[in-house]
Amino acid sequence: MLNERLMEEVLSRENLRSAYRAVIRNKGAPGVDGQTVEAVGPHLKVHWPGIEAKLYAGEYQPALVKGVRIPKPTGGERLLGIPTVQDRIIQQAVQQRLSLIFEPQFSEHSYGFRPGRSALDAVRAAQAYVREGKSWVVDIDISAFFDHVNHDILMERLARTVRDKRVLKLIGRYLRAGMRVDGQVMKRQSGTPQGGPLSPLLANIYLDALDKELESRELSFCRYADDVNIYVSSERSAERVLESISAWINKHLKLKVNPDKSGSGPPGNRKFLGFSIQEDGSLHIAESSLERYKDQVRTCWRACQGLTGKELVLRWQRYIRGWSNYFGIAETRMTGLSGWTRRHMRKFFWLRWHNRKGRLRHLTRLGVSRRLCGRVDFSAGAWRAARHPAMHTALSNETLRRQGLWTPSDFAVA
């Protein structure tokens, strides 16, 4: 058990400086007060003594959380809760101290939102289970987990370890802070809204009981936040585990398992963190992940957008570098995907060259012979024109690569 002076550690100068730097580095949108990360420094210089006094006295009241709806990759919307920058700094300071306490207690099979661990670590661990002969996977999806975290259960878990009532009271107030959505204030009796620095750690504290239950049953599993995959050796075992663990989650965590998204089957028929693991243990990009990539390509390489060429290249580079760094461990062949991507790039330039005169001028300037230009059907659709040898000559793979217009193949490991 900790002593009752955790708040002093949270508010130590070193911890607060680290929290401030982390929030500034992460940038992010303003909360309900409209204050930006650039403006919070001067604000705190003036007001911090009063804020600190309230925190020490256990009287600090967090501001409302700003609710923002963002689209989910799989459809629908997710409601994010964005605290004010000031509250993000305080949450970050609390998170840093609590993490030192709870991290050593967490399971080796938990990977989400933990220092030194990543989604790719979870995927590799799952891949190892399949290679060991675990030929069935139980895929558990918890319905709207972050919205339905039970406050009483979470606070009870925290109080087992944290004895400083000021810290517990502060966390409770953050959990219950109202959320302003579309001009209306919503009271919250459950959930820990995504968007604040403290929520990921609280989620892991809440779900650690599930990890311990799975370990006590000697099950092979990987958990990344609320995404849980359990690997077993037979269909019968998979069905039994799915039923019993779903019941356990409902009873002990007061959460519901989504029957439409949960299930069991051979690993190749399910997906985990964007990947599909085949029965031989080989790793492939899941079909849904490939479709999301293609949607991003279509969006990025639309000709009717106001970005300059330089802005578009930088935006694309940020996306394709991140995508390739993540999915580059898969054994999916990238050749066809890269060719399809480059065709969209060539289509983009064809449309931006506007008309016959402009297209002829650009093709000639890019080294296409008059004879080859004469074979171009300038009235053809842009998608068809993008395949023409003239476009491949003008915008060869090497030319696109040299201009920073990379594709997945450019990141493939030799």
Side-chain angles (χ1 to χ4, degrees):
M1 293 288 188
L2 294 180
N3 61 38
E4 297 182 358
R5 297 183 62 79
L6 179 59
M7 185 63 81
E8 279 70 16
E9 296 181 30
V10 168
L11 298 179
S12 68
R13 185 178 296 273
E14 180 183 355
N15 191 54
L16 285 172
R17 282 178 175 171
S18 176
Y20 176 82
R21 288 194 295 267
V23 171
I24 298 302
R25 185 169 59 248
N26 290 337
K27 299 180 180 178
V32 293
D33 60 355
Q35 189 175 73
T36 64
V37 291
E38 292 79 13
V40 74
H43 168 81
L44 291 178
K45 282 184 179 179
V46 175
H47 297 285
W48 182 250
I51 296 168
E52 184 180 49
K54 290 180 179 179
L55 288 165
Y56 275 129
E59 299 172 353
Y60 181 81
Q61 292 288 346
L64 293 174
V65 175
K66 180 180 179 181
V68 178
R69 303 183 194 277
I70 63 169
K72 291 183 179 180
T74 54
E77 291 182 326
R78 175 182 288 115
L79 184 61
L80 291 186
I82 303 176
T84 63
V85 180
Q86 175 178 300
D87 279 326
R88 295 209 292 272
I89 293 170
I90 297 170
Q91 284 195 29
Q92 179 68 26
V94 174
Q95 185 271 338
Q96 288 172 178
R97 299 311 302 178
L98 287 184
S99 183
L100 294 176
I101 299 163
F102 284 97
E103 266 296 319
Q105 303 177 21
F106 288 154
S107 169
E108 284 297 309
H109 308 289
S110 163
Y111 295 89
F113 311 124
R114 297 186 60 189
R117 288 170 167 256
S118 69
L120 291 182
D121 292 329
V123 171
R124 291 188 181 99
Q127 184 182 24
Y129 288 139
V130 176
R131 285 176 171 168
E132 289 171 5
K134 305 289 186 181
S135 56
W136 282 81
V137 60
V138 178
D139 183 1
I140 294 179
D141 180 272
I142 299 174
S143 297
F145 165 74
F146 283 92
D147 296 332
H148 294 134
V149 166
N150 184 288
H151 289 173
D152 291 337
I153 293 175
L154 176 57
M155 294 306 299
E156 190 272 333
R157 297 261 163 80
L158 284 164
R160 291 179 190 176
T161 303
V162 177
R163 299 301 298 275
D164 192 326
K165 294 182 179 180
R166 297 167 299 176
V167 173
L168 292 172
K169 186 182 293 186
L170 178 63
I171 294 173
R173 286 175 175 167
Y174 274 124
L175 289 172
R176 295 187 300 274
M179 181 181 293
R180 182 179 292 164
V181 185
D182 301 327
Q184 302 294 317
V185 176
M186 298 168 46
K187 293 184 178 180
R188 294 190 297 119
Q189 303 299 324
S190 64
T192 173
Q194 299 178 75
L198 194 52
S199 289
L201 176 61
L202 295 180
N204 275 333
I205 292 171
Y206 196 86
L207 289 174
D208 186 59
L210 174 59
D211 297 339
K212 298 299 191 288
E213 176 65 19
L214 295 173
E215 288 176 344
S216 72
R217 299 188 188 195
E218 298 184 345
L219 291 168
S220 301
F221 72 97
C222 300
R223 181 177 68 79
Y224 191 91
D226 57 333
D227 200 343
V228 186
N229 271 18
I230 306 167
Y231 295 85
V232 296
S233 300
S234 69
E235 180 178 4
R236 184 177 179 183
S237 296
E239 292 172 351
R240 185 173 63 250
V241 167
L242 176 59
E243 181 179 357
S244 64
I245 293 300
S246 297
W248 189 93
I249 289 172
N250 182 260
K251 179 180 179 180
H252 295 278
L253 299 182
K254 307 301 180 187
L255 298 170
K256 293 182 178 179
V257 171
N258 187 334
D260 296 326
K261 295 183 179 180
S262 302
S264 63
N269 294 348
R270 311 294 299 184
K271 64 172 183 171
F272 183 50
L273 300 176
F275 291 89
S276 171
I277 306 172
Q278 304 305 304
E279 292 184 28
D280 63 357
S282 61
L283 202 60
H284 294 263
I285 303 173
E287 284 298 321
S288 57
S289 300
L290 290 173
E291 287 304 314
R292 284 198 293 274
Y293 170 85
K294 290 179 179 180
D295 286 341
Q296 185 67 30
V297 170
R298 294 184 186 103
T299 299
C300 186
W301 295 104
R302 285 185 296 107
C304 52
Q305 51 185 313
L307 295 178
T308 65
K310 184 176 181 180
E311 290 170 338
L312 188 145
V313 169
L314 289 174
R315 184 181 72 170
W316 173 252
Q317 286 180 342
R318 283 194 297 271
Y319 173 76
I320 192 60
R321 184 184 286 112
W323 189 92
S324 298
N325 286 344
Y326 185 76
F327 286 107
I329 67 171
E331 296 175 43
T332 304
R333 289 182 61 83
M334 300 293 188
T335 306
L337 192 63
S338 292
W340 180 88
T341 302
R342 284 189 287 264
R343 186 173 177 183
H344 271 277
M345 293 175 177
R346 293 181 181 114
K347 173 189 172 184
F348 168 87
F349 286 105
W350 178 265
L351 290 171
R352 280 232 168 163
W353 294 341
H354 297 303
N355 51 36
R356 178 188 176 93
K357 183 178 180 181
R359 289 162 184 162
L360 186 59
R361 183 176 70 253
H362 279 94
L363 289 173
T364 303
R365 183 174 60 83
L366 290 169
V368 181
S369 66
R370 289 181 177 272
R371 179 180 178 185
L372 187 54
C373 284
R375 292 164 50 192
V376 176
D377 181 359
F378 288 94
S379 64
W383 186 241
R384 179 182 169 189
R387 290 188 63 186
H388 196 279
M391 289 298 288
H392 279 259
T393 300
L395 300 172
S396 67
N397 294 358
E398 180 55 37
T399 297
L400 293 173
R401 191 178 301 115
R402 193 166 54 247
Q403 296 301 315
L405 300 179
W406 306 317
T407 65
S409 292
D410 296 319
F411 295 86
V413 178

